[in-house]
Every structure is written in C-alpha cells, then in structure tokens.
Amino acid sequence: MALASPTYVGDTYSMSVSLSSQPSSLKSPVETRLANFRYIRSGLQTMIFDSNGQELHKHLDLWFQDGSVICQAERTLFKVHVSQLSRHSALFRDVFTLPQPSRPRSQLLSGLDALDDAKAVLEEYESCPVVFLHDKAEDVANFLVALYDGCNFGNNDREDFRVVSGILRLATKYIVDTLRAKALAHLCIAWPSTLKAWDAREDLARSFEMETSSMSGYFYPSPIAVINLAREVNAPCLLPAAFYDLCHYTYSQIYEPAEDEPLFQTEDSSPLSPLDMQRLSLGKEAAQHSITALIQTMGHAQTHIRHAQPHTHFRKNSSGAICVSAAACRKDFTELVDLATQHYLFDRERGHCDPLYVSEEIGQLKSAEFSECKACARSLESWAAREREKMWKMIPLWFRLEMPSEG
C-alpha cells in the first residue's frame, strides 16, 4: 500500500490512497476532509445536506455521539471512532496518522443559507473529519457492525452471502486481515475444498429442497456471484466448488435464466468474464466426459473389484468378502451399466452434469442391504467412493484453475 502526499484543492483537504497490493477492482481512493455538511431544522426534524444540496441520512445505529470521524457511503453517514478503525485496519491506521488541516471556525460558517428562513435553523458543523468511502452503504454498515460487535454469520444462504460478501470485500479493501480470514472461512463452508465438506453442503441443499419443494439451487447464492467475488478479493479457494456447482446448469440457464430460476441476477449483477466462461465450458465438457468414462469403467469394474470363484455357477447368499456367483454378478453389472447409461446419458436425468452425484448413485445401485452377493455390492460401493475422490481432485484441472505440478 502506498499513500500519496496530501494536497489542498481550494479549502478542501484530500488524500488518495493507492492499494497497489489489492485487485484492480478494489483500487479506489479514500478521501478525508473537514466536514462540509449543513443541518437544517424544520420543526422537530433535522435534515443534513452536503455541499451539493443532496440530503444525507445518519445511520440509525452506527452514529455515536462521541465518535471522532464520519464515514460517508453513498448518502448514508456513519459517525464512528478513529481508534476503532485504526485498531483493526492497516489502511485506516495509515490514513489517520497524516496531519489533518485546520481552518478557522468563521471560515466553516461562511456563505451558507437556510432553506426556509422562517422555520430552518442552521446547525453547527461537525468538528471531526469525514472519510468518503466509495462502497455501498449496506456493505459499510455490515462491515462496521462486524468491527464493533464481532462476526455473526448465518447459514450461507443467499441472504447471508449478501452480508458476508460485502464484509469480505471491505475487509480486503481496507486490510482488516482477521475479519477477512473469518469471512472467507465462513464462505468456505458452502464452497469447500474437501469432498466431505461438499457432501455436507449438498445434504443441506437437499434438505432445503425437500422442506420447501423448490430447487436446491435456491438455497445457495448464484455460483456466478461467488466466482466474481473470488476474483475480486483474490480468494481462489472458492473457485473449484463454485465452478463445479455452476456446471450443473444448462447454457440456456446460464445465459438466459428466467426470473424464477436460481441463476437469475439483478441488473447490477456482473456476468462471468470471457476467460471464466471459457473455463466453465471446458470444465463442463470434462465433467460430462467423466460420467461417460465412469459408466464404461463400471462395466469392467467387477473383474477388478471382486475376488471371484470361477468354478461356482450358482448363487448363494454371500456375507463374506468373496463373490460366490461370478456369472450372476456379471449379469447384474451388465444390467446396471445399461440402467446408468439410459438414466444419466440418454434421459439426461438429474446428475448428467454432476459426476460426483452419479458416482455416489452408482455405488448404491447394488445395495449390500438387498443384494444376494454382499461382497460385490460392497466392492462396487468402495470402488465408486474411490472414483469420487479422484474426480474431486480433478475439478481444478477440469476448469483450468491450476496447472499440474511439473515433475
């Protein structure tokens, strides 16, 4: 981070802060200046206006009478404490160490009019500096609450993401490392780096789907928003799970989502960058190919995952680790391959773009609870579990998110 030298423009003191170590989207100036507001009282109501005549509003909760700095975001004002911001934020700590300009009080009050001479009474100016933040007021409010009261995150649903993503952006932008780490760790619960954690988040989505009779995709935020956030705040750990989640959707759902579909975004939402769309296309193709390869491999899997006894030609109820009816189990596997091919490749039912889901389902097709050959049933389940682990490790490569290490 580099701080530019303070400059005076007229009677305004401003300072630009260059965030050279942050992503380009986060490089916005921070300006500090003496308060340039005026207060107009009409009856019992007091209104605040800036120098351009726009009405501003105090935040109902984050306006402390003993505050020492005013932060303005959009048209909302927050009166907070220099000590609190400096304690947590390396950037604000540097900003507030610069000398502040001093001007005579009479200069502050010169050239001002009341909007209504009969009812309006001009209040005194605030005596503390103002920091102009080029951020959404809602994000600033959530960020400040987290600084003052600590983190109180939710369950990673859409509403929770709206809050946490804003906190993460500002914690990154203003170099609040501990808050950034907490926000990122929370998001990683829903967008994890391990298969076990992914299964847990999918279970939560399915529970939501069953309870609400809606698509499970409505629980979590759009993976497009997660990918863009990860790019903005330099959080690559979120990308594999987000890309994998997005590849479950068709291209029409991605490019032209209806208003009642999970990927529908508001006007201020950003689409994926062209490079990330290319990554998505390549990964989506790789995921579909992996399902085909999985089903084909299952047709040959029996000879590799079971311990057969070729001379046994009749089926017995097997509870051990050895297949007691090779011919019958071979026929079963052939039928399971045909079933999986029809269901996932031809009918394109749920999971045709979700190899982790397909491999989990395949592992249960010959359930040990009902199968007469428990040995092959358990072997199939173990084989499918190993294939899922291999697939999970391949996801970053499918979407070109990392290159294989050179040997």
Side-chain angles (χ1 to χ4, degrees):
M1 181 187 71
L3 295 179
S5 301
T7 58
Y8 290 89
V9 181
D11 65 349
T12 299
Y13 173 86
S14 66
M15 179 196 65
S16 296
V17 180
S18 173
L19 304 177
S20 57
S21 63
Q22 303 299 329
S24 58
S25 60
L26 300 179
K27 292 181 181 178
S28 59
V30 172
E31 295 179 298
T32 64
R33 64 181 71 169
L34 289 177
N36 197 22
F37 306 139
R38 63 177 179 173
Y39 290 67
I40 304 297
R41 180 182 296 153
S42 179
L44 298 177
Q45 183 181 9
T46 300
M47 297 174 289
I48 307 176
F49 296 86
D50 63 13
S51 58
N52 297 320
Q54 287 190 322
E55 185 176 2
L56 306 175
H57 304 278
K58 296 179 182 179
H59 192 275
L60 295 178
D61 182 48
L62 296 164
W63 183 273
F64 302 102
Q65 293 302 322
D66 63 343
S68 52
V69 63
I70 296 175
C71 296
Q72 178 178 343
E74 297 177 321
R75 298 175 70 175
T76 302
L77 302 176
F78 307 86
K79 190 174 182 182
V80 290
H81 303 87
V82 168
S83 58
Q84 185 74 354
L85 296 182
S86 299
R87 179 172 180 264
H88 295 283
S89 167
L91 189 147
F92 280 118
R93 185 163 55 248
D94 289 340
V95 166
F96 294 133
T97 57
L98 292 176
Q100 301 297 312
S102 60
R103 290 183 289 168
R105 185 177 183 80
S106 59
Q107 185 177 357
L108 288 174
L109 298 175
S110 63
L112 299 173
D113 332 334
L115 293 184
D116 186 337
D117 291 334
K119 297 181 179 179
V121 177
L122 186 62
E123 296 280 315
E124 291 184 354
Y125 274 61
E126 298 291 337
S127 60
C128 55
V130 180
V131 176
F132 293 84
L133 306 178
H134 302 278
D135 308 294
K136 293 181 179 179
E138 180 186 14
D139 290 347
V140 172
N142 292 326
F143 172 71
L144 292 174
V145 167
L147 289 185
Y148 273 89
D149 301 335
C151 302
N152 186 24
F153 300 141
N155 59 356
N156 268 304
D157 63 5
R158 290 179 171 237
E159 179 63 23
D160 182 60
F161 177 78
R162 188 168 60 85
V163 174
V164 179
S165 61
I167 292 175
L168 179 59
R169 285 190 185 93
L170 270 60
T172 302
K173 180 176 181 179
Y174 298 120
I175 317 179
V176 185
D177 293 337
T178 55
L179 186 55
R180 170 186 160 86
K182 290 178 181 178
L184 193 55
H186 177 70
L187 290 177
C188 284
I189 297 173
W191 310 95
S193 57
T194 67
L195 179 57
K196 182 178 179 180
W198 175 263
D199 289 340
R201 70 90 78 177
E202 289 294 271
D203 289 341
L204 183 60
R206 290 183 187 122
S207 297
F208 172 81
E209 183 178 8
M210 293 177 63
E211 292 172 2
T212 61
S213 299
S214 61
M215 293 178 60
S216 58
Y218 281 109
F219 182 80
Y220 293 107
S222 166
I224 294 176
V226 177
I227 292 170
N228 287 334
L229 174 67
R231 297 298 187 194
E232 185 178 358
V233 302
N234 190 25
C237 57
L238 301 175
L239 291 174
F243 269 100
Y244 183 75
D245 189 44
L246 184 57
C247 87
H248 301 165
Y249 296 90
T250 65
Y251 284 114
S252 61
Q253 290 175 316
I254 295 171
Y255 282 108
E256 298 178 340
E259 291 187 14
D260 61 344
E261 291 182 338
L263 295 185
F264 182 79
Q265 300 187 79
T266 58
E267 293 182 358
D268 59 346
S269 302
S270 301
L272 286 184
S273 69
L275 185 55
D276 278 338
M277 278 304 306
Q278 177 179 323
R279 291 189 178 98
L280 174 65
S281 299
L282 294 171
K284 193 174 177 66
E285 182 179 62
Q288 292 172 332
H289 286 171
S290 71
I291 295 175
T292 303
L294 179 74
I295 295 174
Q296 290 175 338
T297 304
M298 185 177 67
H300 308 289
Q302 188 203 18
T303 59
H304 301 291
I305 65 179
R306 66 175 178 82
H307 301 285
Q309 293 180 341
H311 61 276
T312 305
H313 299 292
F314 58 91
R315 181 184 292 261
K316 296 179 180 179
N317 190 299
S318 170
S319 59
I322 299 177
C323 174
V324 295
S325 183
C329 284
R330 190 179 304 114
K331 182 175 181 295
D332 283 352
F333 270 76
T334 300
E335 292 175 353
L336 293 179
V337 169
D338 292 341
L339 175 64
T341 301
Q342 181 65 39
H343 188 65
Y344 297 117
L345 299 184
F346 292 162
D347 294 342
R348 298 179 68 81
E349 292 292 335
R350 174 178 176 175
H352 75 275
C353 288
D354 188 348
L356 294 176
Y357 174 81
V358 172
S359 55
E360 184 178 31
E361 290 279 297
I362 285 177
Q364 300 299 321
L365 288 179
K366 193 177 173 65
S367 174
E369 182 178 355
F370 302 104
S371 176
E372 294 184 30
C373 183
K374 298 186 183 301
C376 284
R378 292 195 182 98
S379 296
L380 176 62
E381 186 175 358
S382 298
W383 170 79
R386 291 193 298 271
E387 292 300 309
R388 291 185 83 235
E389 290 285 354
K390 293 177 185 177
M391 289 175 179
W392 179 260
K393 294 177 181 179
M394 289 298 296
I395 289 175
L397 299 181
W398 290 347
F399 295 97
R400 310 302 194 266
L401 299 177
E402 66 179 29
M403 297 299 294
S405 58
E406 297 181 1

